[in-house]
């Protein structure tokens, strides 16, 4: 070995701790994907705002050790690809309806089970109840961790007539949002069309949809008031409650220090109050939006909610409970939370 080579090698060994320290000091950058319109911390779709608030809060508490890149409007990947990517560790984080992965992970469809959750109080109580703990365990087994539990009520935008009772859906082409919702709609006589919420507007413009069920926030953000005349809101109650959480890949989570993991969980939990208030604000705002465009607004009542719930119990709940042992267990635990 030449003198120069030895000097080079010894120098590298002597300074290697400095190299390691420099590498360790580099901040970790996590990517957050979602399908909703982009905005800012202060303005825009609350789901995009929540992602930006989360990023800012974690970056501040981690003293810049954790940073985030946010990709709205499915700009990083297609809506349906997000959960499989999170599960496999190919995507760090996403804010996405869990039911988009229902074909591969049937258990997640408990998050949009018609009539099973009928109020925000009930939905948010899941987190600390048996159903929430078991659901979180099952997701972790699939490589997914919930950082923020986000529930949203939804309504129905329709072009030709309002959809209030189950019989109103007969003969219509309707987007339900999940396999279980579709089963209920089929029993009501509707023709079901499946697509993510960011594709609803174009389908309505082309006449491929007569009505669409989606969250109040999506009714607003995707401006469905411009392509439909009627909206059935969630103000008087809803049978359409969707779990659309902020998720992180377990692979990405496990690479972080215990302190950093704690920061993520803490900031995520704190933002749940913002999510709930924002969703409820949108439930009321969607009515004003449609009325401002000359549309007509209708609400549900106790009688109509019971009709939908009875139909759901005989179709969607029955089918979900028969899918596998996990689904049956989750359904039984969720039914314990019914008022």
């Amino acid at each position: 070995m030449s003198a120069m080579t030895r000097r080079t090698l010894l120098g590298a060994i002597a300074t290697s701790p400095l190299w390691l320290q420099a590498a360790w000091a580099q901040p970790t950058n996590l990517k957050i994907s979602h399908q909703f319109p982009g905005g800012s911390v202060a303005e825009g779709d609350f789901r995009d705002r929540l992602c930006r608030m989360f990023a800012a809060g974690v970056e501040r508490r981690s003293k810049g050790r954790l940073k985030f890149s946010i990709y709205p409007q499915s700009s990083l990947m297609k809506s349906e690809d997000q959960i499989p990517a999170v599960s496999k560790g190919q995507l760090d984080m996403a804010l996405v309806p869990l039911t988009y992965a229902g074909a591969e992970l049937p258990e997640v469809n408990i998050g949009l089970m018609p009539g099973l959750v009928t109020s925000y109080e009930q939905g948010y109580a899941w987190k600390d109840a048996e159903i929430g703990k078991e659901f979180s365990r099952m997701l972790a087994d699939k490589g997914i961790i919930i950082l923020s539990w986000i529930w949203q009520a939804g309504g129905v935008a329709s072009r030709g007539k309002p959809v209030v009772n189950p019989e109103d859906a007969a003969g219509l082409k309707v987007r339900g949002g999940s396999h279980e919702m579709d089963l209920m709609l089929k029993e009501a006589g509707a023709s079901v069309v499946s697509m993510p919420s960011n594709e609803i507007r174009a389908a309505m413009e082309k006449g491929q949809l007569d009505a669409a069920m989606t969250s109040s926030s999506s009714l607003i953000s995707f401006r469905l008031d411009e392509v439909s005349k009627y909206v059935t809101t969630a103000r008087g109650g809803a049978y359409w409650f969707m779990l659309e959480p902020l998720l992180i890949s377990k692979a990405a989570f496990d690479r972080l220090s215990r302190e950093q993991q704690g920061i993520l969980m803490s900031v995520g939990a704190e933002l749940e109050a913002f999510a709930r208030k924002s969703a409820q604000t949108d439930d009321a705002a969607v009515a004003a939006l449609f009325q401002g465009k000359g549309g007509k607004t209708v609400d549900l009542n106790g009688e109509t909610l019971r009709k939908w719930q009875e139909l759901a119990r005989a179709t969607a709940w029955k089918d979900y409970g028969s899918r596998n042992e996990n689904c049956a267990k989750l359904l039984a635990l969720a039914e314990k939370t019914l008022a």
Side-chain angles (χ1 to χ4, degrees):
M1 182 181 293
S2 69
M4 179 61 72
T5 303
R6 275 197 301 271
R7 283 198 297 271
T8 303
L9 179 59
L10 290 171
I13 294 172
T15 60
S16 59
L18 298 178
W19 290 352
L20 292 172
Q21 184 177 10
W24 180 87
Q26 293 299 312
T28 298
N29 190 284
L30 300 173
K31 295 179 179 179
I32 306 178
S33 174
H34 68 74
Q35 71 198 54
F36 310 105
S40 67
V41 168
E43 296 183 351
D45 187 299
F46 88 81
R47 294 160 295 192
D48 177 75
R49 291 179 62 200
L50 186 143
C51 290
R52 297 178 191 279
M53 293 166 70
F54 176 86
V58 172
E59 182 172 348
R60 182 175 63 254
R61 294 191 195 180
S62 69
K63 296 180 173 58
R65 290 282 298 116
L66 296 176
K67 293 183 178 294
F68 300 85
S69 298
I70 298 171
Y71 298 85
Q73 293 182 295
S74 302
S75 56
L76 184 63
M77 63 179 62
K78 292 181 180 180
S79 304
E80 304 95 323
D81 295 339
Q82 294 173 109
I83 294 178
V86 169
S87 176
K88 296 171 185 175
Q90 298 166 347
L91 172 64
D92 299 321
M93 296 179 61
L95 196 158
V96 59
L98 285 175
T99 54
Y100 284 9
E104 295 182 30
L105 304 173
E107 292 88 351
V108 300
N109 279 347
I110 195 80
L112 183 49
M113 185 67 60
L116 189 57
V117 172
T118 58
S119 71
Y120 287 100
E121 290 75 16
Q122 179 196 359
Y124 276 97
W126 274 28
K127 180 178 179 178
D128 297 318
E130 290 180 272
I131 172 62
K133 293 175 182 177
E134 181 63 16
F135 189 54
S136 294
R137 185 194 66 76
M138 289 183 185
L139 285 180
D141 286 345
K142 303 295 184 181
I144 299 169
I145 294 173
I146 295 179
L147 295 176
S148 293
W149 286 70
I150 303 170
W151 284 95
Q152 294 185 75
V156 190
S158 50
R159 298 193 305 158
K161 64 177 182 178
V163 178
V164 181
N165 293 290
E167 54 266 29
D168 296 328
L172 301 182
K173 293 174 287 187
V174 186
R175 185 264 188 184
S178 74
H179 171 73
E180 282 71 22
M181 194 69 68
D182 291 349
L183 286 175
M184 182 183 69
L185 287 168
K186 287 178 182 178
E187 185 65 22
S191 297
V192 171
V193 183
S194 299
M195 64 183 65
S197 59
N198 57 321
E199 295 179 10
I200 292 173
R201 181 190 169 98
M204 280 193 147
E205 285 182 316
K206 297 174 183 177
Q208 297 169 344
L209 277 179
D210 298 311
M213 295 178 174
T214 190
S215 67
S216 299
S217 301
S218 289
L219 287 168
I220 295 170
S221 289
F222 298 125
R223 297 309 303 255
L224 297 190
D225 58 297
E226 297 178 352
V227 292
S228 54
K229 185 176 180 181
Y230 302 94
V231 64
T232 305
T233 80
R235 294 181 303 178
Y239 55 87
W240 198 102
F241 266 87
M242 177 178 65
L243 180 57
E244 186 174 36
L246 179 63
L247 307 171
I248 186 169
S249 165
K250 190 174 185 299
F253 189 78
D254 288 346
R255 287 196 295 268
L256 304 176
S257 69
R258 291 285 295 273
E259 180 185 6
Q260 291 170 343
Q261 291 173 353
I263 292 172
L264 292 179
M265 297 302 293
S266 178
V267 175
E270 290 169 12
L271 285 170
E272 289 168 359
F274 165 78
R276 177 173 174 174
K277 181 179 179 180
S278 298
Q280 290 176 298
T281 297
D282 285 350
D283 291 341
V286 70
L289 180 67
F290 270 73
Q291 289 168 353
K293 291 288 186 178
K296 297 183 179 179
T297 301
V298 293
D299 299 313
L300 301 176
N301 56 37
E303 181 181 353
T304 53
L305 281 172
R306 281 190 294 274
K307 288 181 181 179
W308 285 105
Q309 192 176 59
E310 289 171 5
L311 183 60
R313 189 186 296 272
T315 55
W317 299 12
K318 182 179 179 180
D319 177 81
Y320 179 83
S322 68
R323 300 292 291 274
N324 60 44
E325 186 177 338
N326 284 341
C327 290
K329 183 175 184 179
L330 289 172
L331 181 61
L333 293 175
E335 287 191 75
K336 289 184 178 182
T337 71
L338 288 170

